[in-house]
């Protein structure tokens, strides 16, 4: 009061006074870069329409995020790029032939309902892109399983055939007496075609090679830990080893089919909807793997990746509570039965 | 020839790779002219504050006791300049705490009190002498050293750890102590080893200081007939120098929550404290000055200085050439655990080891955004805590979950907040969580 000179105030804040250069935006940008190889391949395989679907989805997600934040009078968050990631992931989970207005409906479900209704980034309890996909699957089952054959876009209308995904063909193999014979009998694409994505499927999920490049990039940039993808894929592989009576070719087909790689690398590793501790991550991923395998073998749906991740998303708080890391220096005191009774 | 170097017994988990910024490492500590007045707070340590033993108008000499306490956990305060007591009043400290302080006007004569080296025959004599020296932990915490040395009879200490890790960025005074006062370090190590009667001495230092490692190796080699003294280079990673981390690296033992190193047979002492003890035992001159690293982007001449305790921060910064740009933030201590101060008219205390002034561009201010649960805070925590979850539990005032998550174990090292991409002030959140837990515990009796 009455200070003769205005003195500049020093900034006072709690320690530490140095911070990392990493930002949420930087992390999301890394995820976008990791998704680019798969986007490029999807355009090569399914044509320019794959790019159109992706761009529409990204645009709609960013727009819905913008409108939601405005309507709720909260800080603008489109700059963190998380809506772009959601848009790309949802598009990657759609067939390239899907009508664009359906894509927008999926985006609305993902961003408005799942993400912003629960408080925005970091608050949603399930993966927004997955719910977007499931909403579309429930609402438009026909369009959602209308997979274009790879390279059909270059052959013109006449030759364009819709292609059944390999997963649909597994049904006959599960019960077969000889898995080897059954595989040979079915007209599954070759394993190398499976690896490079020359098969029917959602636009971003087919090319294993591109997804694995993205995986490596995320590992090198330390955006994700390998725990969830490796455990998830490993669990599915192990169960399919039994289901396929030890046939390794069958295991390879299973791993490369459907959305397993896309789901394990990019969806199950979503920070917000997976556990933080390593132990929690492993339990979560084993759960995803078991449910995926069970749906594939016994379910009426051919694919189980979306539902299994969704189910495990819901269990994350419980997994987290049960796997709280032991704080430094604490010793687990095992209660004897007597003490517990008291 | 046997090696004086040992490897850490256990690796410290987490931590962060902070830029070292040791710009002042080649600058020997320079004494700066004593200021015209010094402010000597009675509360310069953890424990009971001292009571002034002088009154206004008294003439005092350097090293004369001006404040002491009957309490056990306390350490006397000595005059740091010679001159006249002009006031005994309450002052505000850099921490925001208010303390009684004795204010001395320097007569410029630097007359020293008639010190006598302490006679030390027994361990009790030694501990008494350390208390009389006024020594508190020079590494930053300010715990009275004699309390640390007075290990209860029911605890057996077998390992003495000399902490020369200096893992906080910028600070180089401990490094300079190793280089410039290596004889004092050597004598201090031997004195402490004999007095504590330990089987092992581990001198821990981060591997970004190869010169210090070389000198410490020679210290460990010399006159060490039973080969008790070893040097342990540590990977340069913050917070290797934290007490619990030191004990883990040196012995593989884990200090229990709320416990002390003595609970697992260790005494950890800062290298400058060890060197000071040996000097004190030789001369009897108590703790009246200390070394500080003055650095940061806003300081004209970053350097290491030795100043009388109680010197005003403003005076020290001016002695280092003042500011080359307007400081945005001034920190007492290191950038990871130091305290940002409101203004520069606070006295330097015994436990302050650095003074950092940062300009606007060097502030690394981050806008706080929402937590994305990336888990980097949990990964960085050397104590296996999950700060983001603890924050959620604190907001929900869920005492049971806070307890379960180990809230009280947190040592506020700042590794979590450093690594947070969302710019969350997680140390502040952890302090809040501890406060919530304490309140809830009180409520439930």
């Amino acid at each position: 009061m009455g200070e003769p000179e205005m003195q500049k105030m020093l900034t006072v804040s709690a320690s530490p006074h140095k911070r990392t250069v990493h930002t949420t935006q930087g992390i999301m940008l890394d995820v976008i870069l990791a998704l680019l190889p798969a986007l490029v391949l999807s355009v090569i395989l399914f044509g320019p329409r794959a790019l159109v679907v992706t761009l529409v989805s990204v645009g709609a997600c960013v727009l819905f995020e913008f409108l939601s934040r405005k309507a709720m009078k909260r800080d603008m968050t489109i700059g963190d790029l998380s809506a772009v990631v959601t848009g790309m992931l949802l598009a990657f989970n759609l067939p390239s032939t899907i009508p664009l207005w359906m894509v927008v409906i999926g985006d609305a479900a993902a961003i408005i309902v799942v993400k912003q209704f629960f408080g925005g980034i970091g608050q949603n309890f399930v993966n927004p892109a997955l719910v977007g996909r499931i909403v579309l699957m429930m609402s438009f089952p026909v369009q959602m399983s209308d997979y274009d054959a790879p390279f059909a876009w270059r052959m013109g209308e006449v030759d364009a055939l819709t292609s059944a995904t390999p997963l649909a063909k597994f049904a006959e193999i599960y019960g077969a007496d000889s898995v080897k014979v059954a595989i040979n009998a079915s007209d599954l694409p070759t394993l190398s075609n499976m690896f490079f994505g020359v098969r029917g499927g959602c636009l971003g999920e087919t090319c294993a090679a591109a997804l694995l490049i993205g995986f490596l990039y995320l590992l090198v940039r330390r955006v994700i830990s390998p725990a969830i993808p490796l455990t998830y894929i490993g669990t599915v592989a192990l169960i399919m080893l039994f289901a396929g009576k030890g046939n390794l070719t069958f295991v390879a087909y299973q791993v490369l089919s459907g959305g397993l790689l896309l789901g394990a690398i990019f969806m199950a590793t979503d920070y917000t909807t997976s556990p933080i501790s390593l132990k929690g991550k492993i339990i979560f991923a084993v759960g995803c793997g078991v449910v995926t395998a069970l749906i594939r073998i016994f379910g009426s749906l051919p694919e189980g990746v979306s539902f299994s991740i969704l189910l495990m998303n819901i269990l994350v708080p419980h997994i987290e509570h049960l796997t709280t890391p032991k704080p430094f220096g604490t010793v687990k005191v095992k209660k004897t039965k007597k003490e517990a009774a008291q | 020839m046997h090696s004086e170097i040992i490897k850490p017994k256990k690796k410290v988990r987490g931590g962060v790779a902070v830029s070292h910024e040791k710009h002042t490492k080649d600058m020997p500590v320079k004494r700066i002219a004593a200021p015209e007045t010094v402010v000597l707070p009675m509360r310069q340590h953890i424990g009971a504050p001292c009571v002034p033993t002088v009154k206004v108008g008294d003439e005092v000499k350097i090293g004369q006791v001006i404040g002491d306490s009957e309490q056990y956990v306390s350490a006397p305060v000595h005059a740091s300049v010679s001159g006249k007591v002009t006031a005994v009043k309450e002052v505000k400290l850099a921490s925001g705490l208010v303390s009684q302080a004795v204010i001395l006007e320097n007569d410029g004569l630097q007359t020293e009190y008639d010190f006598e080296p302490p006679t030390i025959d027994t361990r009790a004599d030694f501990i008494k002498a350390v208390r009389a020296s006024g020594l508190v932990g020079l590494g930053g915490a300010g715990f009275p050293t004699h309390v640390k040395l007075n290990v209860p009879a029911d605890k057996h200490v077998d390992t003495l750890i000399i902490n020369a890790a200096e893992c906080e960025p910028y600070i180089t005074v401990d490094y300079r102590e190793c280089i410039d006062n290596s004889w004092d370090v050597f004598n201090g190590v031997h004195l402490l080893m004999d007095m504590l009667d330990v089987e092992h001495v581990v001198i821990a230092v981060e591997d970004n200081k190869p010169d210090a490692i070389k000198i410490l190796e020679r210290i460990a080699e010399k006159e060490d007939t039973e080969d008790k003294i070893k040097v342990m280079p540590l990977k340069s990673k913050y917070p290797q120098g934290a007490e619990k981390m030191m004990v883990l690296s040196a012995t593989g033992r884990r200090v229990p929550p709320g416990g002390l190193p003595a609970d697992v047979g260790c005494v950890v002492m800062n290298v400058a404290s060890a060197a000071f003890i040996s000097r004190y035992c030789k001369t009897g001159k108590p703790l009246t000055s200390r070394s500080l690293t003055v650095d940061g982007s806003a300081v004209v001449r970053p350097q290491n200085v030795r100043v009388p305790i109680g010197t005003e921060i403003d005076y020290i910064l001016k002695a280092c050439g003042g500011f080359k740009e307007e400081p945005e933030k001034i920190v007492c201590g290191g950038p990871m655990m130091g305290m940002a101060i409101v203004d520069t008219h606070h006295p330097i205390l015994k436990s302050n080891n650095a003074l950092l002034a940062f300009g606007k561009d060097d502030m690394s201010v981050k806008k706080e955004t929402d937590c994305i649960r990336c888990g980097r805070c949990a990964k960085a925590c050397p104590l296996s805590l999950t700060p983001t979850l603890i924050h959620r539990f604190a907001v929900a005032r869920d005492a049971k979950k806070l307890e379960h998550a180990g809230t009280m174990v947190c040592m506020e090292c700042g590794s979590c907040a450093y690594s947070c991409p969302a710019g969350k002030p997680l140390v502040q959140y952890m302090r809040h969580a501890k406060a919530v837990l304490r309140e809830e515990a009180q409520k439930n009796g």
Side-chain angles (χ1 to χ4, degrees):
Chain A
M1 265 183 280
E3 278 283 300
E5 289 164 61
M6 275 289 284
Q7 223 194 348
K8 194 183 172 314
M9 303 281 271
L10 289 169
T11 304
V12 177
S13 63
S15 57
H17 308 290
K18 290 276 164 181
R19 297 300 189 91
T20 173
V21 294
H22 293 291
T23 57
T24 302
Q25 188 189 42
I27 292 168
M28 293 302 159
L29 189 63
D30 271 339
V31 178
I32 293 167
L33 290 175
L35 284 168
L36 283 185
L39 179 62
V40 171
L41 257 293
S42 75
V43 177
I44 294 172
L45 292 166
F46 301 110
R49 189 118 210 306
L51 187 63
V52 173
V53 171
T54 308
L55 289 178
V56 166
S57 179
V58 168
C61 279
V62 174
L63 182 69
F64 286 135
E65 173 119 342
F66 176 83
L67 294 176
S68 306
R69 300 302 286 196
K70 275 267 167 226
M72 293 188 233
K73 297 192 173 67
R74 305 192 65 183
D75 290 345
M76 193 40 68
T77 50
I78 52 172
D80 66 26
L81 300 180
S82 63
V84 177
V85 173
T86 303
M88 285 180 88
L89 282 175
L90 177 56
F92 279 23
N93 276 293
L94 304 173
S96 57
T97 54
I98 189 162
L100 295 178
W101 61 270
M102 288 185 192
V103 178
V104 176
I105 289 179
D107 292 329
I111 294 293
I112 300 175
V113 180
V114 180
K115 191 176 175 193
Q116 294 301 339
F117 277 8
F118 287 88
I121 189 168
Q123 301 293 327
N124 46 288
F125 68 102
V126 288
N127 189 313
L130 273 182
V131 174
R133 171 189 155 92
I134 289 169
V135 165
L136 293 179
M137 253 166 61
M138 298 297 183
S139 314
F140 315 106
V142 178
Q143 290 88 339
M144 279 296 284
S145 51
D146 179 19
Y147 300 118
D148 222 355
F151 304 119
W153 62 285
R154 287 208 287 202
M155 296 170 201
E157 283 293 322
V158 191
D159 294 318
L161 290 167
T162 51
S163 153
T165 71
L167 277 171
K169 296 170 185 162
F170 288 157
E172 303 131 39
I173 300 174
Y174 292 124
D177 290 332
S178 164
V179 174
K180 206 174 161 188
V181 173
I183 289 175
N184 291 338
S186 67
D187 56 343
L188 281 168
T190 62
L191 271 182
S192 86
N193 272 353
M194 293 288 291
F195 186 72
F196 291 106
V198 191
R199 61 151 166 113
C202 295
L203 64 92
E205 74 180 17
T206 65
C207 183
L211 293 170
L212 289 174
I213 290 170
F215 182 38
L216 281 181
Y217 179 77
L218 291 182
L219 290 184
V220 170
R221 300 282 299 163
R222 295 184 179 208
V223 173
I224 59 168
S225 104
I228 289 176
L230 295 186
T231 312
Y232 187 174
I233 296 165
T235 305
V236 172
L238 191 68
I239 296 173
M240 290 307 172
L241 191 66
F242 286 102
K245 301 185 178 118
N247 187 307
L248 288 174
T249 317
F250 181 64
V251 173
Y253 272 112
Q254 283 285 357
V255 169
L256 297 173
S257 297
L260 181 57
L261 290 179
L262 179 65
I265 296 167
F266 291 98
M267 321 276 275
T269 53
D270 171 34
Y271 291 148
T272 307
T273 53
S274 65
I276 290 172
S277 71
L278 178 66
K279 222 200 269 172
K281 281 186 166 83
I282 289 174
I283 293 174
F284 171 83
V286 167
C288 287
V290 169
V291 178
T292 300
L294 291 180
I295 293 178
R296 282 190 181 181
I297 299 172
F298 300 110
S300 55
L301 286 166
E303 174 58 313
V305 169
S306 305
F307 284 103
S308 62
I309 297 175
L310 194 71
L311 181 71
M312 294 312 291
N313 283 167
I314 295 166
L315 293 178
V316 165
H318 304 287
I319 296 173
E320 218 143 48
H321 186 65
L322 292 172
T323 57
T324 308
K326 201 168 61 102
F328 186 91
T330 49
V331 191
K332 218 180 202 169
V333 189
K334 276 206 175 137
K335 270 190 194 165
T336 56
K337 272 185 187 164
K338 243 187 204 169
E339 279 171 338
Q342 282 169 355
Chain B
M1 230 209 68
H2 61 271
S3 168
E4 299 295 341
I5 298 278
I6 55 164
K7 277 195 188 134
K9 287 247 170 63
K10 283 225 171 91
K11 246 172 69 184
V12 169
R13 102 179 266 283
V16 285
V18 191
S19 162
H20 301 153
E21 313 283 349
K22 306 272 188 189
H23 315 136
T24 55
K25 80 178 189 36
D26 296 324
M27 300 178 181
V29 177
K30 258 187 8 202
R31 239 167 227 287
I32 58 175
E36 276 167 26
T37 51
V38 292
V39 176
L40 293 161
M42 296 290 106
R43 185 200 281 258
Q44 298 204 37
H45 44 261
I46 293 170
C50 292
V51 177
T53 55
V54 288
K55 53 187 189 306
V56 175
D58 282 1
E59 295 280 344
V60 294
K61 292 171 180 168
I62 294 179
Q64 190 176 332
V65 173
I66 56 155
D68 207 343
S69 167
E70 308 255 295
Q71 298 291 313
Y72 173 63
V73 185
S74 189
V77 178
H78 301 85
S80 58
V81 295
S82 60
K84 208 195 228 162
V85 177
T86 55
V88 177
K89 61 172 187 187
E90 284 197 332
V91 298
K92 207 173 201 180
L93 306 182
S95 60
L97 290 171
V98 173
S99 165
Q100 277 279 310
V102 171
I103 292 145
L104 299 181
E105 194 181 70
N106 188 0
D107 60 12
L109 300 174
Q110 310 293 334
T111 331
E112 291 196 340
Y113 194 68
D114 229 352
F115 318 119
E116 258 180 54
T119 16
I120 297 169
D121 296 320
T122 63
R123 188 158 155 181
D125 291 343
F126 177 64
I127 288 163
K128 221 174 107 192
V130 172
R131 187 188 202 280
S133 77
L135 180 63
V136 306
L138 296 179
F143 192 71
T145 307
H146 69 97
V147 181
K148 201 184 250 192
L149 293 174
N150 195 6
V151 181
D154 59 326
K155 279 170 191 148
H156 172 70
V157 166
D158 60 2
T159 307
L160 166 68
I161 301 166
I162 302 291
N163 189 351
E166 206 160 52
C167 59
E168 274 265 15
Y170 293 92
I171 309 177
T172 58
V173 283
D174 285 352
Y175 171 77
R176 289 316 313 181
E177 195 75 33
C178 297
I179 303 282
D180 302 335
N181 300 330
S182 48
W183 275 106
D184 294 336
V185 175
F186 169 78
N187 290 330
V189 167
H190 277 265
L191 184 61
L192 285 162
M193 181 169 80
D194 295 342
M195 283 299 156
L196 289 168
D197 195 21
V198 289
E199 285 115 70
H200 308 283
V201 178
V202 178
I203 309 176
V205 56
E206 279 198 340
D207 60 11
N208 62 351
K209 306 175 203 41
D211 297 345
I213 294 176
K214 254 183 239 157
I215 286 180
L216 292 170
E217 233 182 314
R218 288 221 291 279
I219 289 175
E221 194 179 74
K222 198 172 158 55
E223 287 174 35
D224 182 23
T225 44
E226 288 166 74
D227 196 27
K228 286 179 175 178
I229 308 171
K230 296 285 178 195
V231 178
M232 177 175 68
L234 296 165
K235 196 180 146 211
S236 302
K237 173 175 89 169
Y238 181 85
Q240 288 277 22
E243 200 168 61
K244 284 180 177 183
M245 304 299 109
M246 286 272 111
V247 172
L248 181 73
S249 302
T251 64
R253 302 170 198 158
R254 288 163 194 272
V255 180
L260 291 170
D263 295 331
V264 290
C266 295
V267 166
V268 184
M269 183 146 310
N270 169 270
V271 68
S273 300
F276 169 79
I277 289 177
S278 82
R279 280 198 293 273
Y280 176 74
C281 289
K282 219 185 290 168
T283 63
K285 184 178 178 184
L287 185 66
T288 60
S289 67
R290 75 149 301 148
S291 302
L292 283 175
T293 296
V294 183
D295 201 348
S297 58
V299 177
V300 173
R301 286 194 303 275
Q303 57 190 302
N304 290 316
V305 295
R306 192 152 187 99
V307 297
I309 286 158
T311 305
E312 196 180 66
I313 288 169
D314 194 50
Y315 179 85
I316 299 168
L317 289 168
K318 280 188 182 133
C320 294
F323 302 123
K324 60 182 167 197
E325 59 175 306
E326 195 150 25
E328 186 69 32
K329 193 186 249 184
I330 297 178
V331 176
C332 244
M336 295 302 284
M337 285 189 83
M339 200 178 302
I341 57 175
V342 182
D343 67 62
T344 52
H345 303 291
H346 298 294
I348 281 295
L349 308 181
K350 292 174 182 178
S351 55
N352 293 150
N353 49 7
L355 210 47
L356 306 172
F358 298 113
K360 212 174 180 96
D361 297 336
D362 201 28
M363 277 275 299
S364 43
V365 192
K366 253 182 161 169
K367 194 178 162 262
E368 190 183 341
T369 53
D370 291 324
C371 171
I372 53 169
R373 283 179 39 98
C374 66
R376 281 169 174 74
C377 54
K379 222 171 152 188
C381 181
L383 302 176
S384 305
L385 307 178
T386 311
T388 181
L389 289 186
I390 290 175
H391 174 52
R392 280 191 186 206
F393 301 152
V395 171
R397 299 193 77 84
D398 190 334
K400 219 173 140 191
K401 280 190 178 157
L402 282 173
E403 185 91 51
H404 179 69
T407 308
M408 286 300 176
V409 177
C410 172
M411 57 181 178
E412 300 173 15
C413 69
S415 299
C416 52
Y418 176 85
S419 33
C420 179
K424 293 268 174 206
L426 288 165
V427 170
Q428 198 171 322
Y429 287 173
M430 288 303 298
R431 288 180 188 146
H432 169 247
K434 288 179 188 177
V436 168
L437 196 50
R438 276 190 216 107
E439 283 165 30
E440 293 295 315
Q442 247 169 20
K443 244 191 257 170
N444 304 326

